[in-house]
């Protein structure tokens, strides 16, 4: 019995071994010959650790673009609109969908290499059809919005009320939000080349280049929000003179002359992006500090503590570029708009950086600085008063929670804000800076208190002088 059982076990072990061997691909040589990462790779799946924090931020709500979400049943209703836009685009250009498909066929291999997954099970015909419908849909949508909002002189559609997408503003702007998600992308060259092949520079119709058409349609994601200057912090001339005098005489922060920061940098939109997510990321981060040390920011005091140490906060005119400067005790920062769409946009930009720009995570670095500055609603309230945060969420606690959660599971080896953080920490840890700040807030906070302080000092001086004179007369 024992020998029979042993023979049975051996047979079972061999069968398991054969199963393992059978599961190994036969074309290993071909697999090895291919690069582990294609040089064209630029469209990624969001890492699982990031998706787990807030899956909805990375999931399209209305439309699937590219192969990652093409089988999502919730997005199928928009497939009919893609076919409708394809028919309209062919009528607009006089080019058949077969000619468009043949154009995409020439780029198929390169397009496949742009995606993190190979999609080997998707046939060539299915893949080309998907890219055709998605790319034509984006181009036709951008053209229609260009006509609707006056970019294109000659309008083919005089009334957009009957348009399934442009007739509903919630659907229109919801689609634009889906088009910048990191998993919902087409390679930029596909859109640009297909536009050029189909339309080119048709001056009679008044069509712009695709680059300008794209910038026009994504204006809300590329340009600062138009917000009135903060006027909630009244300041009289007398107080301004005191603040200026004290900051000039006693501020611990010297002007850091970095010629690289003062030089005009190239417009990031002159360089073609990889896709629409990359476009938004390039524009929001093209101008940023150049740290001499590429260390990680391990510590930075919150906004309230820095303010108590005499740091003055000022909002920069530009809202997107990450040009944060600390000069003569004044921290100049771009505005941060906190609304219902902020988390979705920022999370996708950060996820793309983690995948494609791990050594230059500029958006991640900026969020880290905000995360350090904001610990509580009190910090948010301070930055709101200074115009640095525009709170459209209403609740300061909600803004603090939003910022604090954005940095979860984000990794980086260094930060472009390392030197800035060191300067701020040195300022706070210098006791003289805190002493001057207390004097400014207690004795020179407004005109009358400042005047009273000076009068008291003058009176004390004359009293002391009189006392000395009286004592000298006695002796």
């Amino acid at each position: 019995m024992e020998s029979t059982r042993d023979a049975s076990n051996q047979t079972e072990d061999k069968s398991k071994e054969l199963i393992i061997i059978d599961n190994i691909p036969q074309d290993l040589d071909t697999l090895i010959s291919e690069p582990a990462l294609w040089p064209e790779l630029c469209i990624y799946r969001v890492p699982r650790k990031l998706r787990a924090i807030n899956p909805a931020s990375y999931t399209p709500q209305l439309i699937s673009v590219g192969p990652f979400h093409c089988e999502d049943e919730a997005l199928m209703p928009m497939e009919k609109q893609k076919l409708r836009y394809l028919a309209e685009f062919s009528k607009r250009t006089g080019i058949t969908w077969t000619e468009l498909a043949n154009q995409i066929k020439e780029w198929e291999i390169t397009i496949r290499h742009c995606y993190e997954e190979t999609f080997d099970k998707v046939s060539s015909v299915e893949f080309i059809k998907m890219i055709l419908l998605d790319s034509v849909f984006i181009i036709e949508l951008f053209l229609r919005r260009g006509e609707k909002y006056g970019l294109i002189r000659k309008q083919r559609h005089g009334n957009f009320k009957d348009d399934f997408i442009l007739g509903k503003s919630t659907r229109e702007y919801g689609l634009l939000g889906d088009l910048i998600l990191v998993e919902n992308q087409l390679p930029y060259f596909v859109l640009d080349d297909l536009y050029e092949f189909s339309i080119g520079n048709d001056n009679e119709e008044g069509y712009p280049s695709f680059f300008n058409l794209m910038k026009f349609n994504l204006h809300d994601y590329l340009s600062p929000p138009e917000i009135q200057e903060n006027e909630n912090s009244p300041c009289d001339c007398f107080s301004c003179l005191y603040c200026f005098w004290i900051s000039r005489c006693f501020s611990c922060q010297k002007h850091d002359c970095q010629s690289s920061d003062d030089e005009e940098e190239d417009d990031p939109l002159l360089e073609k992006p990889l896709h629409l997510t990359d476009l938004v990321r390039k524009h929001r981060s093209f101008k940023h500090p150049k740290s001499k040390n590429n260390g990680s920011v391990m510590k930075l005091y919150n906004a309230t503590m820095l303010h108590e140490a005499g740091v003055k906060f000022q909002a920069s005119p530009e809202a997107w570029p990450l040009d944060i400067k600390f000069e003569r005790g004044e921290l100049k920062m771009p505005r941060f708009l906190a609304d219902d769409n902020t988390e979705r946009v920022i999370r996708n930009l950060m996820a793309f950086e983690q995948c494609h720009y791990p050594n230059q995570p500029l958006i991640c670095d900026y969020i880290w600085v905000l995360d350090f500055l904001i610990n509580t609603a009190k910090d948010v309230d301070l930055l709101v008063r200074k115009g640095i945060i525009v709170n459209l969420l209403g609740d300061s606690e909600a803004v603090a929670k939003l910022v604090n959660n954005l940095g979860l599971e984000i990794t980086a080896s260094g930060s472009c804000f390392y030197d800035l953080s060191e300067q701020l920490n040195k300022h706070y840890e210098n006791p003289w800076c805190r002493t001057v700040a207390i004097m400014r807030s207690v004795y020179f906070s407004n005109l009358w208190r400042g005047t009273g302080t000076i009068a008291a000092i003058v009176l004390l001086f004359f009293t002391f002088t009189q006392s000395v004179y009286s004592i000298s007369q006695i002796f």
Side-chain angles (χ1 to χ4, degrees):
M1 286 290 293
E2 256 182 63
S3 61
T4 304
R5 189 178 301 158
D6 292 342
S8 176
N9 290 338
Q10 290 177 4
T11 303
E12 189 176 337
D13 292 340
K14 286 183 179 180
S15 65
K16 288 182 179 179
E17 185 179 355
L18 289 175
I19 290 173
I20 295 172
I21 292 174
D22 287 344
N23 284 337
I24 297 177
Q26 298 299 315
D27 56 344
L28 285 177
D29 291 338
T30 304
L31 187 64
I32 294 174
S33 64
E34 295 180 353
L37 295 174
W38 293 101
E40 299 91 346
L41 176 62
C42 61
I43 303 174
Y44 305 84
R45 286 276 193 191
V46 175
R48 293 180 65 181
K49 64 179 183 178
L50 295 181
R51 176 176 288 280
I53 298 172
N54 190 345
S57 292
Y58 309 103
T59 305
Q61 303 300 309
L62 295 175
I63 188 170
S64 167
V65 175
F68 285 137
H69 297 277
C70 62
E71 297 181 356
D72 189 339
E73 292 293 333
L75 305 176
M76 289 302 163
M78 197 57 66
E79 296 302 308
K80 181 179 179 181
Q81 304 308 316
K82 291 180 183 180
L83 291 171
R84 178 174 288 142
Y85 271 32
L86 174 61
E88 291 287 344
F89 186 73
S90 294
K91 186 186 298 184
R92 177 195 294 270
T93 61
I95 299 177
T96 66
W97 67 267
T98 303
E99 292 176 286
L100 296 171
N102 288 334
Q103 189 72 14
I104 292 176
K105 173 64 177 174
E106 298 179 9
W107 314 321
E108 180 186 357
I109 301 302
T110 303
I111 296 172
R112 285 180 179 268
H113 290 169
C114 290
Y115 290 93
E116 188 175 29
E117 299 175 14
T118 57
F119 301 100
D120 293 332
K121 295 182 180 180
V122 180
S123 69
S124 177
V125 174
E126 292 174 337
F127 189 81
I128 291 172
K129 177 184 176 183
M130 175 185 62
I131 299 299
L132 171 65
L133 289 174
D134 292 347
S135 55
V136 168
F137 177 85
I138 293 174
I139 294 173
E140 179 66 18
L141 175 66
F142 283 2
L143 286 171
R144 291 189 179 206
R145 294 190 79 248
E147 293 173 351
K148 179 180 178 180
Y149 298 110
L151 175 68
I152 299 174
R153 296 192 301 270
K154 187 176 180 180
Q155 295 188 6
R156 297 173 57 87
H157 304 274
N159 185 1
F160 290 95
K161 293 181 179 179
D162 297 331
D163 189 288
F164 180 77
I165 296 169
L166 301 186
K168 301 287 185 181
S169 60
T170 54
R171 192 175 290 139
E172 176 184 349
Y173 290 102
L175 272 172
L176 292 178
D178 279 354
L179 293 183
I180 65 167
L181 301 184
V182 67
E183 293 182 346
N184 220 32
Q185 294 302 310
L186 294 177
Y188 173 78
F189 79 87
V190 176
L191 298 169
D192 192 29
D193 291 352
L194 197 63
Y195 182 88
E196 187 67 24
F197 170 76
S198 306
I199 293 179
N201 297 318
D202 192 338
N203 294 325
E204 293 183 1
E205 294 285 346
Y207 291 127
S209 68
F210 181 73
F211 202 66
N212 290 332
L213 181 66
M214 175 186 61
K215 290 193 294 181
F216 177 83
N217 279 275
L218 298 178
H219 175 269
D220 290 345
Y221 296 99
L222 305 180
S223 301
E226 297 180 0
I227 301 166
Q228 297 296 325
E229 293 294 329
N230 192 315
E231 298 179 355
N232 295 329
S233 302
C235 184
D236 54 72
C237 298
F238 194 79
S239 297
C240 288
L241 288 174
Y242 271 115
C243 292
F244 177 80
W245 180 78
I246 293 176
S247 63
R248 283 284 184 174
C249 295
F250 300 111
S251 176
C252 304
Q253 175 59 38
K254 300 298 182 183
H255 178 59
D256 186 13
C257 297
Q258 295 184 1
S259 58
S260 60
D261 285 345
D262 295 333
E263 295 176 357
E264 289 293 330
E265 298 192 28
D266 294 334
D267 185 346
L269 300 184
L270 296 178
E271 179 184 353
K272 289 186 178 181
L274 301 171
H275 42 66
L276 301 187
T277 308
D278 187 45
L279 171 77
V280 178
R281 185 259 178 190
K282 282 181 182 297
H283 194 80
R284 293 197 178 195
S285 62
F286 79 95
K287 194 173 183 182
H288 56 274
K290 306 294 191 301
S291 279
K292 298 176 183 178
N293 301 308
N294 194 31
S296 297
V297 178
M298 304 302 295
K299 179 184 71 172
L300 184 62
Y301 297 99
N302 63 49
T304 302
M305 296 173 70
L306 291 174
H307 182 65
E308 291 173 351
V311 173
K312 294 184 291 181
F313 293 87
Q314 180 179 336
S316 298
E318 301 85 7
W320 293 150
L322 309 184
D323 188 18
I324 305 178
K325 294 180 180 179
F326 183 50
E327 299 172 350
R328 297 189 180 93
E330 185 174 71
L331 183 63
K332 297 181 180 179
M333 298 183 64
R335 288 191 181 96
F336 180 79
L337 177 62
D339 62 10
D340 294 333
N341 200 37
T342 298
E343 180 172 6
R344 195 181 192 211
V345 175
I346 297 296
R347 282 196 180 279
N348 278 272
L349 297 180
M350 295 175 74
F352 176 58
E353 284 191 339
Q354 291 288 284
C355 295
H356 196 78
Y357 297 106
N359 297 322
Q360 204 176 18
L362 304 177
I363 301 295
C364 296
D365 289 348
Y366 170 65
I367 294 300
W368 271 342
V369 171
L370 277 183
D371 191 11
F372 277 113
L373 290 177
I374 297 174
N375 284 341
T376 66
K378 186 178 180 181
D379 299 313
V380 174
D381 293 336
L382 170 63
L383 296 179
V384 167
R385 289 198 305 272
K386 301 301 181 181
I388 292 174
I389 289 181
V390 180
N391 183 7
L392 300 185
L393 296 178
D395 184 12
S396 297
E397 288 284 355
V399 177
K401 184 177 179 181
L402 166 66
V403 173
N404 295 153
N405 287 339
L406 283 174
L408 295 177
E409 299 294 346
I410 297 296
T411 58
S413 56
S415 173
C416 65
F417 296 107
Y418 178 80
D419 290 348
L420 175 76
S421 65
E422 289 294 294
Q423 294 165 5
L424 286 170
N425 289 339
K426 288 179 181 178
H427 183 101
Y428 178 82
E429 292 166 1
N430 190 315
W432 178 244
C433 291
R434 291 200 296 275
T435 301
V436 172
I438 292 172
M439 290 176 60
R440 184 189 305 171
S441 62
V442 175
Y443 300 107
F444 299 96
S445 58
N446 55 53
L447 172 64
W448 304 114
R449 183 170 292 182
T451 304
T453 300
I454 292 179
I457 293 174
V458 171
L459 179 61
L460 181 62
F461 173 76
F462 280 119
T463 302
F464 177 76
T465 304
Q466 181 65 33
S467 299
V468 171
Y469 178 76
S470 300
I471 293 174
S472 63
Q473 291 291 0
I474 295 174
F475 294 98

